[in-house]
Each structure stands twice: as structure tokens, then as C-alpha cells.
Amino acid sequence: MSPLGRGVVVAPGAEPPAGWEGAPVIRVDDEGAAAPLHEAWSQRRPVVVELGVDAGELKRPETDHRPPYVLGPGFEFARERLHFLVWANTYDARAGEPVWWHGVRAGRLGAEVGGPADVVLPDGTPAWCDGGPRQALHGVDDAVVHRDSIDAGHLTVAGDRPPSAALAPDQLAAVSHPGGPARIIAPAGSGKTRVLTERLRHLLADRSHEPDLLTAVAYNVKAAEELRERTAGLRPTIRTLNSLGLSICQMAGPVKVLEERECRNIVQSLVKIPRKANADPVAPYLEALSAIRLGLVDPEAAETRFPDAAGVSVAFDAYRAALAKRGAVDFDEQIYRAVEILLTDPDIRARARAGCRTLLVDEFQDLTPAHVLLIRLLAGPAASVFGVGDDDQVIYGYAGADPGFLIDFARWFPGAATYDLQVNYRCPPAIVAGAQTLLGYNRRRIPKAVSPAPGRAEEAGALITQPVAADDLTRAARDRVVAWLDHDVEPADVAVLARVNAVLLPIQVLLAQTGIPCTRAVGVELLGRTGIAAALAYLRIGTAPGDISREDVAATVRRPSRKIARNVLEMMGRRPRTSIADLRSLGDWLSGDDAERVHTYATDLELVAKAVSHPQATTAKVFDIVRRGVGLDRAMNALDNSRGTADRSAHGDDLWALEQLAALHPDPAGFEPWLRNALVAHPDDGRPRVHLSTVHKVKGREWPNVIVFGASGDLFPHRLAEDVEEERRVFHVAITRAARTVVVLGDADAPSPFLAELAGTAEAPHRRAGGAGAPAGNGGRGPKDPGARRGSTVPAAGESPLWDALREWRTGIARRDKVPPYVVMSDAHLKGIADRRPATLAELARCAGIGPLKLERYGEDILAVIEAAAGAEPPSSSG
């Protein structure tokens, strides 16, 4: 019996039965006994449990009605876990003769209790009823039926055959894991999917796990389909995370899944966001709702983190109530609502757990805090989770993913074993070595020893770093693609990867011009983004300074900030067409600061017109004037800095792409028509295509030949990113997509610091303030102005003229837009602005509560209020 490791439960102070005289005694009178009980259970060490608490109270189901964002991913039902550990693998000797309840329950299923083991199965086979971790047992002569099978009404005899697949030693060790929780560290190209597939096959075919008690969790639909194809015939239960969450929601009642369009309508109805051209005011609310539900971020903290989602902390409950009224869930609600149900309904929790006695979880590094909490609640106290992932591929920190979930796996799943896959079968030696050198500069990671596959050790180096002048980057990428295609490489065997989507615009256009088929990464809609729209408007004005549309005035007059009063802006936009001369006349008619500011605007437009009309004019020179001479760069930098995240293309990235395009079409007058024509979508002719993508969209994929495009200091790491270690991981994912050759095209004048790290020549890792290791749930982003947190003291009326003026301005905006004042800006954020008194848009962008949309919509007005209040206040006395 020793391999079974059974313990015994006795009354307090009672002597242990024969056979347990020397076993350690664990007294259970509070929750503190869980840790030693779990260790004894997982290691199959017999113990004597003195049960000093009421058994009925210990068994009583637990619930918790607090919001999941309050609980966090580490929550567990402590009493439930203690009850499990007390009885999982112990005899009940409280009343005298030890009783093995698992055997008794097997008897109710048709087995005969007694015999040479615990029971005799209906076919006459003696069998033990095991209560330890579900694992292969050695040294047990008779058959074994696990407690999980008995709980589900089965008398399945456990199998003990080794895996039949031909696997490498490191893969075989992981697939053969005896049982219980396990962390599989699977670096890029190490055969992660094969290990997961063979583990699934091994448990079902060799260990006789019942398909209805085991669930494999794939990260997306495509991965789930691949797993099903590889395990056809075994009837596995394979779900995506959202499918798993939705199934739990449906246990509580029928629900429908809303499309994003319907979700947007609900948000719009709740906060009545003013619509704005070339902007998506609903997106920040959707991001904030996602941060609360998947990142488990407190709603008030989410409102600070997403300043353009003003009022989301109030709207959060209302939004969820609107979903419930419709009997519906959206994508994130499938997870969040499932967690709530598991927390509050013990019956559904038990039903859901029945199919998750063993969980296999793919892409563990991509889980958010809500995903981890969902998995832990489903796994229950046994925590039998086989998690496969790579902490060096955590690149979705903005969504809540964190390397800590893998680094500290045993914290979330106690007693977990660890298996390291150590061979990269995808990449040649040069890429494997470069990737390991690069990742060595990260401090928050699991150290690894990764080698190339046997037989590739002598393969020629295929990691090429190519410094290129900034203006030549796009042509260099095109030329590299052409060279590959000229050497019989198929277009589908080439990928061009960039840090953000906008950066792909110039290479997409140039490849199409060259006649090379490529996937469509961006469309004409990109031209409507704020920075590009403004730059093109300046170009149109410069081309026709005597015939300027009111739309082009609107697109340029506040970019950069000129602090022109709103009533003057209205005058400038009354006529559908105007000219620089008309603007000069308006400036002459006005007085004071507004006159000077209108003249400044007219002077900027003349500067652009002069650049366009110059005999040696080029598009690149005109855009350089617009960006640096007029100051569009400053305006876009202010918008970007108010955002403070690097989860998608920033306005500065848009201007970089436009500058690259300008080098491809030097004629200023013909540039915009040329660009728009190049972005028109054409029907797919079915030809193989070069793949264009951001790095974030290709994790798990590979191509023989890869170009990492735009490896400059502003893009790798992205200038808005705070967690440089994650940026290094993004770069690592990019280079390890290549199975043969990767070419990293860097800016010769401003190269990415990762290039030196790739070569191992950097002395210290490149870091930024607040950089490495952002904690899960907030991405390392606290409020911009700690003094402007929600709940901070605000002045009473009359105490601060600027505070009063800002509140009066907010009231006027709220009435005009027919929204609650808090949707415009909270009291705490107005107080922060009043305290800091910003004088420029760049300074205002650093205030809490100001995001890019608010900076665009209200920035000039707020600066005007501050300026007016400063003029109205008496000078302070000194002495």
C-alpha cells in the first residue's frame, strides 16, 4: 500500500490506528494546515489528520460575491481546499475502524467492496481506489481506479503504457509527466504543439483518462482545430478559453453573444460620447472595460489608465447590466461572467469542474489575470494543470499577460513539476544563439539553455543585421524580397514584420508597385488618422494656397497648438473655401492675441506653399517643413505622450511611414492621388503572397525568410513603451519566426539598441524609467499625476478662480454635448490640471485624465481657460 500513500483521519487526541503509529500528525483546526496537507497528498506521504473542526462546516460549499477584480488571480476557496486535502487520500477512522470512502462509492457503482485490494470490479478484477494525484503508479500489483473516475460514475482502470510517439528526450520527459500540475517551458521552435498533442494522446490512449474528465484549452480557434486534427479518433474535449467561459455562462441560463457593433451601441447609449471625425471615441471605453474584466483592474484605476474613457468606473456596472438585460455576453464577458458564476454558484462550479479534472493549457504565457483565475477555479484544489508556454514570449502586457504567471507557476498551482524543452527545431544556429544572447539582457525571466536541432550545428549563419540610411529602409526591404524571389523563393515563404501596423504602409505600397503580391496590412482608412490627415491637408494647402477648404483648415489650424479662440475658429470655418490672403485679412481685422495667432497660422501655411513651389521641391522636403518647421511633430508627440502605451500604431509612427512614402514619390502635387490609388483594395487573385504583419499577430507562425523592418531606436523598443523587457521579448519573437534567414533592417543613424544586444556587444541592458517587469494587471502604468487621483480633496467654490473657471467650462461642454459632467472630466482630474497650470499641449498631456482624444477635443479650450484665469487673477504678493 505504500505507493498509494494513504493517510488517516482521527478525532482530536485519538491514537492513530495500526499502521500509522509513526506517521506525522497534522492537526486541522484552521486553514493553516492546508500547506503541509497538500505536500503530503501530492508526495503520497501517509499522515495522521486530527480533525479539530466540524466536518459538516468544513464541507459546506463556499461562495464569494465580491467582484473578481477585487479578488485577483490568486484567489482560492480556502475552506474548500482544506476539505479536499483532508479527505482526498485518507481513511476515516473517527468512529473506530478505518473506512475507505472511495471504495464504498465504487461499490455503489457495481464493484464488490473487499478482496485483495479495495474492491473487485464487475469483471472480477481486484482494484485499488486511488485518492492521490491522478498519475501513473509503480509498485502497485493490482488494477487502480482513480477517485476522479469514481466521482464521474466510472470504474475505469488506469492505464500505464509509455508514450508511443517518437519524441526527443526533453519532449518525452514532459509528455511522460506522472501527473498533477506541471509547467512546460517551451521556447520558440521547441515543438510546443507536438508536446501538447502527445500529452493529450498519452493521457487518453495510454493512461485511460476519460475524455469527458479532461479538457485541453487552446488559445484560439485555429489552435483548437489543429489539436483536434492531431488527436482525431480519441474524442478529446478541446476548447478555447472563451468557449470554456461561454459554456459555464450557459450552465446558468441561455445567453447570446453580441458582436462588437452592438457592444459599441451600448457604450454610446450609456456615456453619450460626442462623435468626432478621424477618431474612435468608443475604443478607449472598450479597452477600459477589457482591462477591468480580463486584467482585473479596479474600475477607478482603469479610468486613470484610460483617460479618454471618462466615467467608465460609473458605466462599468451599467454596461454589464445592459448585457444581462439582453441575456447576452460580449467577448470579455464570457470570461468575467464565467468567473463570477464559479465564485457564487457551488453547484455550477462542481459541474464545470467535472470536465476539468485534468487541464492542458496552451500558450500559458498569454493568459490574463482573469484567465488564470478561471483556470484555477476550474482546476480546483487538485490543481492538475499542464501549462505549456514561454515566459520569453510574453508580449501582450497591455492586456494583462505577465511572465510571472509562468515564473511563479508553483505559486498558482502548488507542487508543480517543471520540464524545459531545450531544442529549437525551427531556427538555424545563428538565430538561436542571437536570440539567447538578446534575452540574456532581461532580468525577469526563467534562465534557459536552448540549442539548435541536431544536424543544423554546421549550418551557415542566417542572422543578418543591415544598417540602412533612414530614407532607404523601404527600398532595402523591397530589394531583399526581390533577391529572394530571384533565387526561386516563393512569395508565401517570405514575411515582413514590423513593430506596429503603420510602419508596414510604405513596404506594402512599394511591393505592390514592384508587382510583388503581398498581403494587405493597411488600407486607405489609415489616411484618416490625425497625423496623416493633417500632413496631407498641409500638402493640399501648399499646392493650392488660394483655394483652401474649410476641412483642411480644421485639420491643420490646431496642429500644432496655436491657442486660437473658438469663436475665431468658427469665423475661419464659415465659408466653404478660403485662402491665405483671406486669413491675413481676418488677422488684420482681429485684435490682441487672436490677431497674432491667426497671422502665425497664415505664415505657417505660406512656409508650406513656398516649399511646394520651390523649383527643387520634393514631397519629402515639404513634409519635413510640415513636421519640423511648422511643428506637426510636436503636436503628434503631445498626442502620443498623452496615450502612454505602445499597443498599436502611434501618430509618430504614422508620420514616419509618410516620410518613407515621400521618398518613393517626389512630386508633391501628385503624391496624395498616387498614395490613395496605391491603397485601393483589389480582388484577391489567389496568388501566393509575401506576408506583411506586426509581430504581435504572428506568434506561433513561421516562414523560411523573414525581414524585421524598421529596427530603429524609436520602434524597437517603441518609444511609448515602459516595459523594455517586454519590448525585447517582442523583438525576440520577430527574429525567431524565421526558419532559414532573418534580415534585420535598422536605421543606420538611430539603430535599435537591441542590435548590439543581439550581438552581445551591449554593456548593459537598455532600460527606461519604470521599465522592466511591470506587474500583472496594470502594465506598470500608474496615474500620470499622483496628486490627481480620484477621491483627492478638491477646493470649495471660490477658493481657486482657476478651479471655478475649469468647472464652469466643463459644465458648458457637458450641456453642449448633452453628457454628464464626469464624462467630460472628473473633479480630481480638473484639480490636477488647476494645480499644475499647464501652458502647452505637451504639458497638458502629462496631466492625469488627459488622453489623446481629450487632448484633441478639449486641449486648446483648457489652455485658453488657464490663460484667461491667469490674466484675471491678481499678482501674488511676496514678503
Side-chain angles (χ1 to χ4, degrees):
M1 281 180 52
S2 58
L4 297 172
R6 293 174 179 175
V8 63
V9 178
V10 300
E15 290 295 320
W20 285 278
E21 296 89 343
V25 177
I26 300 176
R27 179 171 177 81
V28 175
D29 49 19
D30 56 36
E31 296 169 0
L37 281 174
H38 191 283
E39 183 178 2
W41 172 75
S42 63
Q43 299 298 320
R44 293 184 177 271
R45 292 203 296 265
V47 293
V48 176
V49 181
E50 286 193 8
L51 190 59
V53 297
D54 181 79
E57 176 64 19
L58 191 64
K59 186 179 181 180
R60 183 171 58 84
E62 282 189 278
T63 61
D64 198 306
H65 291 267
R66 290 174 294 172
Y69 61 76
V70 171
L71 303 178
F75 172 82
E76 68 178 4
F77 287 113
R79 189 177 70 238
E80 177 185 80
R81 181 182 180 216
L82 187 61
H83 175 261
F84 169 84
L85 293 170
V86 165
W87 296 111
N89 198 29
T90 54
Y91 286 87
D92 183 357
R94 291 173 299 164
E97 188 68 22
V99 178
W100 185 246
W101 289 110
H102 300 316
V104 173
R105 290 187 299 111
R108 296 170 187 159
L109 298 176
E112 180 183 344
V113 178
D118 292 321
V119 298
V120 176
L121 299 178
D123 65 357
T125 302
W128 299 104
C129 300
D130 182 33
R134 189 164 189 175
Q135 58 189 206
L137 289 173
H138 304 290
V140 178
D141 295 331
D142 296 305
V144 174
V145 177
H146 195 264
R147 165 183 47 82
D148 287 353
S149 300
I150 297 170
D151 288 346
H154 305 306
L155 292 175
T156 306
V157 175
D160 192 18
R161 293 192 303 271
S164 57
L167 298 166
D170 55 349
Q171 296 173 336
L172 181 62
V175 170
S176 304
H177 169 60
R183 178 185 73 176
I184 317 305
I185 299 301
S190 61
K192 168 185 68 66
T193 303
R194 179 163 173 75
V195 166
L196 191 70
T197 301
E198 293 306 326
R199 175 65 177 178
L200 183 57
R201 188 192 311 280
H202 177 54
L203 293 179
L204 294 174
D206 302 327
R207 300 270 192 90
S208 304
H209 281 235
E210 299 86 348
D212 55 330
L213 303 189
L214 177 152
T215 297
V217 182
Y219 193 72
N220 56 37
V221 173
K222 182 179 179 181
E225 287 301 323
E226 184 177 356
L227 274 178
R228 290 190 187 99
E229 290 173 4
R230 294 192 183 195
T231 54
L234 295 174
R235 299 181 300 112
T237 302
I238 299 172
R239 294 184 178 276
T240 64
L241 284 161
N242 277 75
S243 169
L244 187 59
L246 181 60
S247 70
I248 295 167
C249 294
Q250 290 170 334
M251 290 180 186
V255 293
K256 61 180 180 179
V257 180
L258 294 188
E259 299 294 331
E260 183 178 316
R261 175 181 55 80
E262 298 172 276
C263 301
R264 285 173 166 270
N265 289 339
I266 295 175
V267 171
Q268 187 72 44
S269 70
L270 292 174
V271 294
K272 298 178 174 62
I273 314 161
R275 298 189 184 277
K276 189 177 187 302
N278 302 329
D280 183 2
V282 178
Y285 287 87
L286 298 179
E287 292 172 348
L289 290 171
S290 185
I292 297 167
R293 293 181 293 172
L294 295 187
L296 300 185
V297 175
D298 183 277
E300 292 192 1
E303 188 163 338
T304 297
R305 178 170 158 185
F306 299 93
D308 282 327
V312 73
S313 61
V314 177
F316 174 65
D317 290 333
Y319 175 79
R320 298 193 67 232
L323 290 178
K325 185 177 180 180
R326 290 166 170 78
V329 291
D330 63 12
F331 191 75
D332 295 342
E333 190 73 6
Q334 294 173 34
I335 302 297
Y336 192 81
R337 179 65 185 138
V339 169
E340 276 188 332
I341 292 169
L342 294 176
L343 290 168
T344 58
D345 192 321
D347 290 337
I348 292 181
R349 186 164 71 240
R351 286 167 55 197
R353 282 179 175 174
C356 299
R357 294 303 182 103
T358 301
L359 282 167
L360 288 76
V361 183
D362 192 14
E363 302 287 7
F364 202 92
Q365 76 281 342
D366 293 334
L367 301 189
T368 68
H371 293 143
V372 172
L373 179 55
L374 175 69
I375 294 295
R376 294 182 73 248
L377 288 171
L378 286 171
S384 184
V385 174
F386 188 85
V388 184
D390 180 15
D391 57 301
D392 286 330
Q393 296 186 65
V394 176
I395 62 174
Y396 301 115
Y398 60 84
D402 188 271
F405 293 138
L406 271 172
I407 294 171
D408 302 319
F409 191 87
R411 169 190 170 192
W412 313 104
F413 306 98
T418 290
Y419 300 90
D420 295 337
L421 304 185
Q422 299 177 338
V423 179
N424 183 325
Y425 295 93
R426 175 192 304 152
C427 303
I431 296 178
V432 174
Q436 289 307 297
T437 302
L438 172 78
L439 291 169
Y441 286 90
N442 274 359
R443 292 182 297 184
R444 192 166 179 248
R445 67 183 292 258
I446 300 167
K448 302 173 184 67
V450 181
S451 59
R456 301 192 73 173
E458 302 304 320
E459 190 172 328
L463 171 60
I464 302 168
T465 56
Q466 183 177 342
V468 180
D471 291 346
D472 293 330
L473 273 171
T474 304
R475 289 191 180 91
R478 187 271 315 272
D479 293 346
R480 179 65 64 169
V481 172
V482 169
W484 280 331
L485 299 186
D486 286 346
H487 285 79
D488 298 325
V489 172
E490 291 295 321
D493 289 339
V494 177
V496 180
L497 307 180
R499 175 61 180 82
V500 291
N501 216 45
V503 170
L504 294 164
L505 173 61
I507 186 61
Q508 175 181 312
V509 169
L510 187 55
L511 287 178
Q513 271 199 328
T514 310
I516 298 173
C518 63
T519 58
R520 183 179 166 83
V522 294
V524 71
E525 66 278 357
L526 187 69
L527 305 188
R529 283 174 55 87
T530 301
I532 294 181
L536 293 177
Y538 273 114
L539 184 60
R540 289 192 295 269
I541 292 171
T543 304
D547 185 24
I548 305 171
S549 71
R550 65 162 63 123
E551 291 78 16
D552 284 348
V553 171
T556 56
V557 69
R558 286 189 162 189
R559 302 180 184 99
S561 169
R562 296 180 176 89
K563 299 183 182 179
I564 299 174
R566 183 171 292 277
N567 64 315
V568 176
L569 293 174
E570 292 172 355
M571 293 179 198
M572 297 167 70
R574 282 176 186 162
R575 295 165 56 189
R577 316 296 295 187
T578 188
S579 67
I580 294 179
D582 290 341
L583 294 172
R584 288 289 189 197
S585 296
L586 176 60
D588 291 339
W589 179 79
L590 294 168
S591 61
D593 291 337
D594 284 327
E596 181 181 346
R597 290 165 181 171
V598 170
H599 277 298
T600 299
Y601 175 52
T603 299
D604 286 340
L605 299 186
E606 288 172 346
L607 186 65
V608 177
K610 183 178 180 181
V612 172
S613 62
H614 192 279
Q616 296 180 329
T618 64
T619 311
K621 290 179 181 178
V622 174
F623 280 148
D624 187 68
I625 291 294
V626 170
R627 290 186 64 176
R628 297 170 179 85
V630 172
L632 184 59
D633 257 353
R634 297 194 306 274
M636 294 304 101
N637 286 339
L639 287 178
D640 287 343
N641 290 335
S642 69
R643 202 177 91 194
T645 61
D647 54 334
R648 59 189 183 277
S649 296
H651 297 293
D653 304 328
D654 297 344
L655 296 185
W656 182 92
L658 205 59
E659 199 169 62
Q660 288 285 308
L661 287 163
L664 305 179
H665 192 94
D667 174 24
F671 177 79
E672 185 176 355
W674 165 81
L675 178 55
R676 290 188 179 276
N677 181 66
L679 290 177
V680 172
H682 297 287
D684 188 354
D685 57 10
R687 288 188 296 167
R689 296 173 180 272
V690 173
H691 192 84
L692 308 183
S693 177
T694 63
V695 181
H696 286 84
K697 293 179 181 178
V698 297
K699 203 153 65 65
R701 299 187 63 184
E702 63 181 78
W703 292 265
N705 304 287
V706 170
I707 294 172
V708 180
F709 183 59
S712 71
D714 277 348
L715 291 168
F716 285 106
H718 196 281
R719 64 189 174 282
L720 296 181
E722 293 183 346
D723 187 351
V724 178
E725 292 207 350
E726 177 162 315
E727 292 294 296
R728 194 174 283 113
R729 295 193 292 267
V730 172
F731 192 70
H732 151 255
V733 168
I735 65 172
T736 54
R737 296 313 92 196
R740 185 184 306 148
T741 304
V742 62
V743 177
V744 182
L745 290 176
D747 186 335
D749 294 325
S752 164
F754 297 157
L755 298 183
E757 294 179 358
L758 194 64
T761 58
E763 293 184 3
H766 178 82
R767 301 193 183 280
R768 289 187 182 136
N778 71 358
R781 293 178 286 277
K784 300 174 189 176
D785 178 4
R789 291 181 183 274
R790 177 178 292 273
S792 59
T793 303
V794 297
E799 288 185 15
S800 167
L802 177 53
W803 161 249
D804 292 340
L806 287 169
R807 292 190 69 193
E808 183 179 353
W809 163 80
R810 181 182 63 180
T811 300
I813 295 295
R815 286 174 179 165
R816 183 196 73 189
D817 294 339
K818 299 179 181 179
V819 297
Y822 66 76
V823 172
V824 180
M825 204 164 294
S826 70
D827 280 354
H829 292 153
L830 282 184
K831 178 185 181 296
I833 292 170
D835 289 345
R836 298 185 69 158
R837 295 174 178 261
T840 66
L841 287 179
E843 293 175 0
L844 180 60
R846 291 193 286 271
C847 294
I850 297 293
L853 292 179
K854 285 188 181 177
L855 195 68
E856 274 276 277
R857 186 179 297 143
Y858 305 134
E860 297 274 2
D861 289 349
I862 293 173
L863 294 179
V865 170
I866 294 170
E867 189 175 56
E873 291 179 358
S876 59
S877 58
S878 59

